[in-house]
Amino acid sequence: MKGVITAAGLGTRMLPATKSQPKEMLPVAKKPVIQYIVEELEQAGIRDILIITGKNKRAIEDHFDKDPILLADLKQKNKVVQIRDLEALENLNIHIFYVRQAVPTGLADAVYKAKEFVNDEEFVVALGDTIIDSLNKPIHLSRLIDFHNEANALCTLSAERIPIEQCNRYGIMDIEEFKGKPTPKAFNDKYLVKDLIEKPSQEEAPSNLAICGRYVFNPEIFDYIEKVAVGKGGEKQLTDAIRLSRETGQIAALQLAESERRYDTGSFSLYAKAFVDFSLKDEEIGPELREHLKKLKL
Ligand code: G1P
């Protein structure tokens, strides 16, 4: 299966940090956000990845280029840790392609830029500012792909329960239980989606189950994207395109398990949480940061 990462958003919620650099390149512990996402796709067995970029996003392309001069220099200076981390990045078993969304006209339009790349096959979409950290194997994205096949769906969405007062930040789903094969309890949150609405008010929200940044699509989704009208925020919304396909009864959703965490790095408070959590987990940064946090006596 091929993968598409959307990274064309302007990152206005992260200004001034994103004035001249992409939000996807902000570091979380030692790596930029988008590297976590590329690694996640690689772990799910995806080899061909298209990144949808736009204005001010060139640093993403530079990051995934190989840099033999830098590596040779590090080797000459015997910088062991840096060599290890750089080689891990350069040895990822993937091919990356890029396409630009010239005008930021919405997530649906961004995904439409992948039409030729996916070439009439099923594909994964990952939002470039959202990290999904899976503590257990198989990782969430692998489970999502498996469920897409099990449910014989046209679209399969990652889902997360959110506090209802935050529903105006997300696409929200109206669901019924998916009655498939019984699975281990922790992995049992599978749904069929009857309807969905982008960024509803609390009164409009049919549930507190939010779309959370990973999608598996059949190529028919492009037919629905072609038909979608301009929606919330004056943009063509992916949620609205998925909604148009609801008469097929083939929209499925898989809720994140407790061992699977979503980090939206598109706003400062959530970005800060991601930075702390991933830094605490890092074997070089973690111990010192932990001591520092203890001294703060929070
Ligand atoms: C996008 C989607 C929304 C989804 C959210 C998850 O919104 O349009 O349906 O719930 O990502 O983060 P954005 O955060 O780009 O405004």
Side-chain angles (χ1 to χ4, degrees):
M1 199 177 281
K2 289 178 177 166
V4 175
I5 300 177
T6 56
L10 298 177
T12 27
R13 281 182 296 160
M14 296 297 277
L15 281 168
T18 51
K19 184 161 176 281
S20 66
Q21 67 173 334
K23 61 177 170 173
E24 297 81 7
M25 284 302 294
L26 295 174
V28 168
K30 287 192 203 161
K31 297 185 280 192
V33 172
I34 196 157
Q35 188 176 333
Y36 289 91
I37 301 168
V38 166
E39 288 173 357
E40 176 196 343
L41 266 57
E42 192 220 26
Q43 277 183 41
I46 292 167
R47 297 290 166 260
D48 290 338
I49 298 173
L50 178 73
I51 304 182
I52 319 270
T53 68
K55 193 173 158 227
N56 278 341
K57 303 284 182 168
R58 291 215 189 104
I60 297 176
E61 298 178 32
D62 291 341
H63 185 71
F64 290 104
D65 279 350
K66 293 209 191 300
D67 193 340
I69 297 172
L70 174 59
L71 201 55
D73 188 51
L74 292 174
K75 283 187 175 160
Q76 203 205 351
K77 293 175 182 147
N78 200 26
K79 303 250 180 198
V80 179
V81 174
Q82 286 83 355
I83 295 168
R84 181 200 66 197
D85 292 345
L86 202 64
E87 283 187 333
L89 166 62
E90 296 205 344
N91 294 339
L92 285 170
N93 188 9
I94 45 160
H95 307 285
I96 303 195
F97 305 83
Y98 301 91
V99 64
R100 284 172 72 100
Q101 186 187 27
V103 189
T105 43
L107 192 56
D109 262 352
V111 171
Y112 197 75
K113 298 269 178 245
K115 190 169 189 265
E116 280 177 39
F117 169 79
V118 304
N119 194 23
D120 240 2
E121 291 163 36
E122 294 178 341
F123 64 104
V124 161
V125 169
L127 301 189
D129 60 4
T130 300
I131 299 173
I132 307 263
D133 188 33
S134 299
L135 304 178
N136 293 341
K137 296 259 163 61
I139 64 165
H140 179 73
L141 188 57
S142 300
R143 298 201 304 113
L144 193 71
I145 294 169
D146 288 348
F147 181 46
H148 183 73
N149 294 326
E150 181 190 350
N152 194 20
L154 191 150
C155 319
T156 305
L157 317 175
S158 275
E160 186 183 36
R161 296 277 172 193
I162 49 119
I164 192 68
E165 55 286 359
Q166 292 176 10
C167 62
N168 61 356
R169 300 185 199 166
Y170 297 95
I172 300 291
M173 303 175 222
D174 186 12
I175 46 164
E176 61 189 44
E177 208 182 314
F178 175 79
K179 294 194 177 65
K181 280 185 288 185
T183 50
K185 193 173 177 299
F187 289 176
N188 215 8
D189 297 320
K190 296 174 172 179
Y191 305 100
L192 287 179
V193 179
K194 293 188 283 179
D195 203 353
L196 53 172
I197 173 167
E198 179 70 3
K199 305 200 170 88
S201 65
Q202 266 191 62
E203 295 69 42
E204 291 169 313
S207 75
N208 71 339
L209 196 69
I211 304 174
C212 75
R214 297 293 180 269
Y215 309 76
V216 186
F217 289 118
N218 287 3
E220 287 80 39
I221 190 65
F222 293 117
D223 302 338
Y224 295 99
I225 294 180
E226 279 168 15
K227 289 185 207 140
V228 80
V230 171
K232 284 263 155 72
E235 296 187 344
K236 289 194 177 175
Q237 296 293 346
L238 188 57
T239 304
D240 292 341
I242 299 167
R243 181 167 198 268
L244 291 180
S245 78
R246 72 192 185 288
E247 80 261 12
T248 63
Q250 286 179 293
I251 311 173
L254 178 69
Q255 193 174 319
L256 293 179
E258 267 174 43
S259 58
E260 298 165 347
R261 293 210 188 109
R262 179 180 68 96
Y263 293 92
D264 174 351
T265 60
S267 75
F268 278 113
S269 54
L270 300 169
Y271 170 76
K273 287 181 198 165
F275 199 100
V276 170
D277 281 12
F278 281 91
S279 299
L280 285 172
K281 278 205 281 184
D282 184 275
E283 57 186 34
E284 274 107 25
I285 317 172
E288 208 176 314
L289 178 63
R290 185 163 284 110
E291 285 313 306
H292 173 71
L293 292 175
K294 272 189 207 153
K295 273 193 215 135
L296 290 180
K297 298 200 175 83
L298 301 168

